Amino acid sequence: MKQLLQKLTETFSPSGYEAAIREVIRAEVEPLADEIRVDALGNLIVRKGPSTGSEQAKKIMVAAHMDEIGLIASHIDENGFIRFTTIGGVYPQMLMGARVRFYNGIPGILYTEPLDAPTDTPSIEKMFIDVGAKSRADCPIKIGEVAAFERPFLDLGDRLVAKSMDDRIGCLVAIEALRALKSTPNEVYFVFTTQEEVGTRGAETSAFGLDPDLGFSLDVTGWGDTPGRKHFDIALGKGPAIKIKDGGMLSDPRIIQWMVKTAEANGIPYQREVLLGGTTDARAMQLVRAGVPVGCISIPCRYVHSPSEMVDYNDVQNAVKLTVALLENSVEL
Amino acid sequence: MPEITPFLKSLLSVAGISSYETPVTQLIEKKWRPLVDETRLSRIGSLEALKRGSGPEPRPSIMVATHMDAIGMMVTSIADGFLHFTQVGGIDPRILPGTPVIVHASASGEELPGIVVMPPARALPASVGDGVLGLEHLLIDVGLLPEEVAAKVRTGDLVSFATEPKELAGEVISGHTLDNRASVAVLTVALEELQNKSHAWDVWAVATVQEEVSLGGAFTSAFGLRPQIAVAIDVTFAKGPGANDWQTVPLGKGPTLTMGPNIHPYLFKKFEELAKNLEIPYQTEVTPRHTGTDGYATQVAAEGIPTMVIGIPLRYMHTPVELVALKDIQRAGRLLAEFIASLEPDFVEKIVWED
């Protein structure tokens, strides 16, 4: 599982450019799927279970987004320096001195124009990417090419660190749940979604296409257990979090109950999540068509949207267990 | 004229915070059931009530959306027996210290009375100590010992306003959640009026969920019901202390008919003609962008639905002491009923753009 996580997190696929990660995931899930397809927005849709369910069987959508935050080249100056803008929520303080890799494999480093004081945080507008080019003609990058953080996977035992843990860890949970789910009476669709980081766009269209009876997302949440963090009851290692609220959505109370009861019945530790900012694919799923009861299983993650996002391996394994326990039996909300 | 105040007061006495509307859904369902042909819940909990029209099938339908969810609070963490909390929907934090609340304690199943409190200035950072405190500095005290609180209250528990509704002199009512239970009362008045009127169109009276967080109920019910036209009724800003005349409307001078890109001009015209003919007091309100109502969702649901927005003037928006004139509720209810009764079977074909 750790090896697969390394492979998932070391793949470069910012929003809109998910082909690389889609192929990695497809190779894992193809042998496990009852049906597999890619829709018009690039979502990888994997069905497990009967395609035409009985009366009791529910159509369930489980979404994990496979895109990651990144950068996109917007201008190349005559000396070969690349100006850029961001794809998704990239903070400038995370970029100073960072290394990135373009989708075509070219590495680059980030720096800034001189600041008023060396302790200032540069704005994105002042920053540039240096790929070692000596001139515009020499620059191997063209306007519109995308890049993502370059940072190797780090195994600290229980604690695992990587770029794009958001949300390759959700993808890992979905893949491992699919592997562990021997049979289900439900019509389950694992959807590896695109473009979450730029507005939960893949989830919106795939949910419209699938028209599920209910669903949930698998995504990271924030943390409250490092110095100075306040009023957020989520810690690494205390179990996956059952989302009650985030910045964009209130989970359906019936889904919360279903998750809580399932976790307690199976002895799986869990935390109750009230996140103030940010949201997940579930928000888009909830409002599709005539509405969908939704929730979210979150994997607590420190330093979200930095190049070194950290999760706890036990939380990951428990998230897999909870996902399987939710899906393997008939669901009555 | 049917007396709506007791029903409105009952609506103002229950929580029904966004996504947890069930207590108020039950009250409304009970009131509406004898007034309509059928009631049901949408997939995410909006109450959809159908009153069938008398026109030939296939019958067009009008959807009237009044959101029933309330703003409120939610526990984010517990420290030494005091509750930290965040908001569900938008709350004006300036009015919170000293406000009575109910903590819906999920571990014990109790409704615990509590009050919103603030630490003394000396215990706060100098930059905020003497000023208005943001939500992150406020706490709820339920009077119990820390271990008792820990045994009863959990992260994610709901907190609702406990302010009792109060009738003031001048036929005015004050309380929490008049946004938008006042409009639920309007729709109820209209359904009562329609008992004695014939109407060709089907009427979908919808008490929507989650308006305060996402307009979610309106998006989904409009998609599911596919009405030919939609009307959203929601509260609007009435002139209060310090307010000017161009961003607010007088209280008690009639509901507002809204104009702007969110509203189909033909529907506005028809409502205005009707109000003039019937001599129902009304005001006009211009909203150049997002009306901040369910109408913003119904307009773009499915293939798009011509939408009208009616406002009920209200003071002290998003506080526990919102204030509405009862007359405006009656007037809006009557106008709505008359509009529905006036819809001819071929009304849709008459909807035209006058560019």
Side-chain angles (χ1 to χ4, degrees):
Chain A
M1 208 153 128
K2 286 183 179 179
Q3 266 183 334
L4 177 56
L5 182 59
Q6 175 160 9
K7 200 188 221 179
L8 292 170
T9 55
E10 291 185 353
T11 301
F12 296 85
S13 266
S15 310
Y17 296 82
E18 293 90 353
I21 186 66
R22 186 166 55 240
E23 290 320 304
V24 173
I25 295 172
R26 184 201 277 274
E28 290 295 323
V29 296
E30 199 136 37
L32 308 169
D34 291 326
E35 181 200 344
I36 188 164
R37 63 193 156 93
V38 176
D39 75 4
L41 255 76
N43 297 294
L44 178 65
I45 300 175
V46 180
R47 176 170 59 81
K48 178 81 178 176
S51 62
T52 47
S54 61
E55 281 293 298
Q56 294 79 27
K58 294 278 199 313
K59 195 193 274 188
I60 305 176
M61 173 169 165
V62 182
H65 73 88
M66 57 183 172
D67 61 316
E68 67 188 295
I69 56 174
L71 310 175
I72 182 164
S74 58
H75 175 78
I76 293 149
D77 74 16
E78 57 188 15
N79 297 315
F81 295 105
I82 302 164
R83 298 287 178 160
F84 63 92
T85 185
T86 59
I87 297 174
V90 178
Y91 312 126
Q93 65 267 36
M94 301 296 170
L95 287 177
M96 263 305 284
R99 294 181 185 190
V100 296
R101 187 173 291 274
F102 280 89
Y103 202 59
N104 59 11
I106 302 287
I109 60 162
L110 281 105
Y111 208 74
T112 177
E113 292 175 23
L115 304 170
D116 293 338
T119 49
D120 284 357
T121 300
S123 64
I124 297 287
E125 288 70 31
K126 281 195 181 294
M127 302 185 81
F128 53 85
I129 306 170
D130 187 340
V131 291
K134 299 184 181 94
S135 67
R136 184 182 287 146
D138 182 40
C139 184
I141 300 301
K142 293 191 290 291
I143 289 171
E145 291 197 62
V146 297
F149 286 124
E150 161 93 83
R151 195 65 65 105
F153 177 79
L154 190 58
D155 181 353
L156 301 176
D158 274 350
R159 303 286 158 92
L160 308 172
V161 183
K163 65 114 180 133
S164 72
M165 205 62 97
D166 173 8
D167 183 30
R168 303 287 159 73
I169 197 66
C171 296
L172 178 76
V173 170
I175 294 166
E176 294 303 327
L178 184 61
R179 208 190 304 283
L181 189 64
K182 295 304 172 208
S183 71
T184 173
N186 303 301
E187 186 181 350
V188 180
Y189 289 91
F190 288 93
V191 184
F192 299 89
T193 60
T194 56
Q195 301 196 34
E196 192 271 354
E197 295 291 0
V198 291
T200 60
R201 298 165 66 80
E204 188 167 339
T205 55
S206 55
F208 188 96
L210 291 171
D211 193 14
D213 295 314
L214 64 137
F216 57 90
S217 57
L218 296 166
D219 208 335
V220 298
T221 186
W223 74 104
D225 61 344
T226 58
R229 304 285 291 188
K230 277 185 190 155
H231 314 327
F232 186 52
D233 256 358
I234 297 287
L236 262 57
K238 292 191 174 172
I242 293 173
K243 189 184 294 292
I244 297 168
K245 179 187 189 303
D246 65 23
M249 183 195 73
L250 288 150
S251 296
D252 193 296
R254 295 166 293 180
I255 299 284
I256 298 170
Q257 277 296 98
W258 174 48
M259 289 178 169
V260 165
K261 281 186 178 158
T262 304
E264 288 178 353
N266 290 277
I268 301 166
Y270 69 93
Q271 309 182 66
R272 295 165 63 88
E273 175 198 347
V274 180
L275 180 68
L276 299 191
T279 195
T280 76
D281 277 341
R283 175 193 159 89
M285 291 154 64
Q286 187 174 44
L287 301 187
V288 151
R289 291 182 180 260
V292 183
V294 298
C296 171
I297 298 174
S298 299
I299 295 90
C301 181
R302 287 183 187 160
Y303 324 125
V304 176
H305 284 206
S306 83
S308 297
E309 301 173 325
M310 177 190 282
V311 299
D312 186 284
Y313 195 43
N314 299 301
D315 293 342
V316 178
Q317 288 169 312
N318 282 317
V320 174
K321 278 186 205 162
L322 180 54
T323 304
V324 172
L326 289 168
L327 299 175
E328 66 188 355
N329 295 313
S330 308
V331 184
E332 274 313 314
L333 292 185
Chain B
M1 188 183 286
E3 177 53 67
I4 199 67
T5 311
F7 176 58
L8 177 57
K9 282 172 95 167
S10 75
L11 295 179
L12 302 180
S13 304
V14 294
I17 291 170
S18 304
S19 201
Y20 298 83
E21 293 88 355
T22 305
V24 72
T25 313
Q26 288 169 343
L27 283 180
I28 300 168
E29 205 272 343
K30 193 172 160 215
K31 182 76 176 179
W32 285 3
R33 203 185 311 138
L35 305 175
V36 299
D37 295 305
E38 61 177 79
T39 63
R40 63 184 202 192
L41 292 180
S42 81
R43 291 165 74 177
I44 62 168
S46 294
L47 176 64
E48 300 173 340
L50 173 63
K51 186 172 186 315
R52 286 198 187 87
S54 57
E57 297 201 31
R59 240 182 340 261
S61 70
I62 175 172
M63 167 177 163
V64 185
T66 58
H67 77 84
M68 61 176 162
D69 61 314
I71 55 171
M73 293 146 279
M74 185 178 272
V75 175
T76 54
S77 64
I78 303 167
D80 301 326
F82 299 100
L83 313 179
H84 291 281
F85 62 96
T86 185
Q87 58 189 348
V88 177
I91 292 184
D92 190 337
R94 294 174 304 165
I95 200 164
L96 282 178
T99 299
V101 294
I102 296 165
V103 177
H104 302 261
S106 67
S108 66
E110 290 169 274
E111 291 191 350
L112 300 172
I115 35 172
V116 180
V117 298
M118 56 184 186
R122 62 178 164 72
L124 291 163
S127 57
V128 296
D130 290 322
V132 173
L133 297 183
L135 287 177
E136 67 275 22
H137 296 295
L138 299 176
L139 297 155
I140 292 164
D141 188 341
V142 293
L144 296 170
L145 297 170
E147 55 271 27
E148 292 170 326
V149 173
K152 292 171 188 285
V153 183
R154 294 186 292 199
T155 297
D157 283 357
L158 298 168
V159 180
S160 58
F161 291 125
T163 321
E164 291 292 328
K166 208 171 185 65
E167 282 176 80
L168 308 184
E171 294 180 65
V172 159
I173 190 164
S174 164
H176 69 78
T177 326
L178 276 160
D179 173 5
N180 190 30
R181 309 267 164 90
S183 302
V184 174
V186 168
L187 181 47
T188 308
V189 168
L191 289 173
E192 283 173 340
E193 295 250 341
L194 285 173
Q195 301 305 303
N196 307 314
K197 285 185 197 304
S198 83
H199 53 95
W201 282 40
D202 282 347
V203 182
W204 280 106
V206 185
T208 57
V209 296
Q210 298 189 34
E211 191 272 350
E212 296 290 359
V213 292
S214 62
L215 312 182
F219 272 115
T220 50
S221 282
F223 186 94
L225 299 173
R226 303 291 175 97
Q228 275 60 45
I229 57 177
V231 177
I233 311 174
D234 208 334
V235 296
T236 188
F237 292 92
K239 190 168 161 64
N244 59 43
D245 286 331
W246 61 92
Q247 287 171 314
T248 60
V249 295
L251 186 83
K253 300 281 187 191
T256 66
L257 304 180
T258 312
M259 337 169 64
N262 193 180
I263 283 81
H264 197 293
Y266 188 76
L267 295 184
F268 174 85
K269 187 176 147 199
K270 287 314 220 186
F271 265 95
E272 188 174 42
E273 278 174 12
L274 196 61
K276 276 183 182 153
N277 290 343
L278 297 168
E279 297 181 351
I280 298 173
Y282 73 95
Q283 315 183 64
T284 52
E285 180 182 2
V286 176
T287 307
R289 286 180 285 271
H290 195 322
T291 55
T293 72
D294 277 345
Y296 198 70
T298 59
Q299 186 182 35
V300 295
E303 295 86 357
I305 300 167
T307 291
M308 176 66 191
V309 175
I310 296 176
I312 307 301
L314 172 145
R315 285 186 197 141
Y316 321 123
M317 187 84 73
H318 284 204
T319 73
V321 291
E322 294 175 331
L323 191 149
V324 157
L326 292 165
K327 271 189 295 194
D328 289 341
I329 293 176
Q330 293 290 355
R331 289 159 170 165
R334 178 157 170 251
L335 179 61
L336 179 63
E338 294 284 356
F339 178 79
I340 291 168
S342 77
L343 288 169
E344 292 148 352
D346 62 347
F347 180 85
V348 170
E349 283 86 79
K350 292 184 196 156
I351 294 182
V352 288
W353 293 100
E354 289 177 357
D355 291 334

